[in-house]
Amino acid sequence: MKKMKIGFVGCGSISGIYLENITNLFREIEVIGVCDLIPERAQAAVEKYNIPKLYKDMHELFADPEVDIVLNITRPYQHFDVTMAALRAGKHVYSEKPLATTLEEGKQILALAREKGLRVGGAPDTFMGAAQQTCRKLIEDGYIGTPIGATAYMMGHGPESWHPDPEFFYKHGGGPLFDMGPYYITSMINLLGCVSDVYAMTKRGFDQRTATCKQHYGEKIDVEVDTYINGTLRFESGVIATLFTTFDVYAGRCGIEVYGTQGTLFVPDPNMFGGEIRLYRPEQEKTQEIPLAFSYKQNSRALGLADMAKALQTGREYRPDSSMTFHVLEIMDSLLKSGRERREVAIESRFAPRKPMLSGGLMGILE
């Protein structure tokens, strides 16, 4: 089976781990070429990873018949335009999160993909990692009984102290919900299923931020998005979950807890592929650490891309497909809408978790 060839649009901060893993871990895909609005970034990637092609722009990349899948790792507000252009050019697309920045954009992407007979997939793929897959198995095997509730927290004071280009986090398509929310919502829907309704209260804790990263030290950033989002999600199963994302607090916690009729599962930070899993059952009167039962516990970004590539070759379903990324987008869009309109919002899209990962097997080769 030949390797599927990936064309990179964007060579920013997150591109490094994709390039590293595609080059050294995932054996069924390869990077054929890259491009970036800042040519020096793309040139550096070509030199470091011995990439065959350097495109002058994304349109040259789209026109290359050797490109099987376009990897869209541009900034969030650019995802829609890049994905739509790639689909019009006849390319399958795997996009970094989020799928788009509005529900209407997401609908247009799915409609064009259907019209063209193309596939769209996307991040996050951390739910395919060792920790999240182990948690899913624990729930499905009844270790906490029937799930009845959950909480998810992503608390911090924003990326302006460490990210080399933090401004976009506070513009359209940014904020804690659209930046980090996809990890938490994706984890919850893969553990608990489809969301039917949401309700939220939202606000903006600070109107302006001061960058303290080396590249933009002292620069002021005007905040254009809500940065304190407290939402409630009702799942079709009856589970009710709290989702709290914020860039406004100086100290807090990150993680997910799932509550069942016979115990509580402490799910690690869904931004990671690994992490410590803890289980509480009342008869034991304490929590116990649960060993990871699946592969990919290190930073394995591009795992979802490799899964999509394998699916395109074999005809099977792939796990990070557009039904997942669109459902996540609708949940986020609806939470913000609920906050603005002060009402409960129904979720129209439907999602069913895909086949779990297999335990064992060869690293870098998808089943």
Side-chain angles (χ1 to χ4, degrees), residues 280-291:
Y280 177 85
R281 288 180 60 94
E283 67 271 17
Q284 295 175 329
E285 299 182 345
K286 63 178 181 179
T287 60
Q288 60 176 319
E289 184 175 351
I290 304 297

Side-chain angles (χ1 to χ4, degrees), residues 33-48:
V34 298
C35 67
D36 193 277
L37 289 174
I38 301 174
E40 294 79 9
R41 286 180 177 175
Q43 182 64 50
V46 165
E47 294 173 0
K48 182 174 181 179

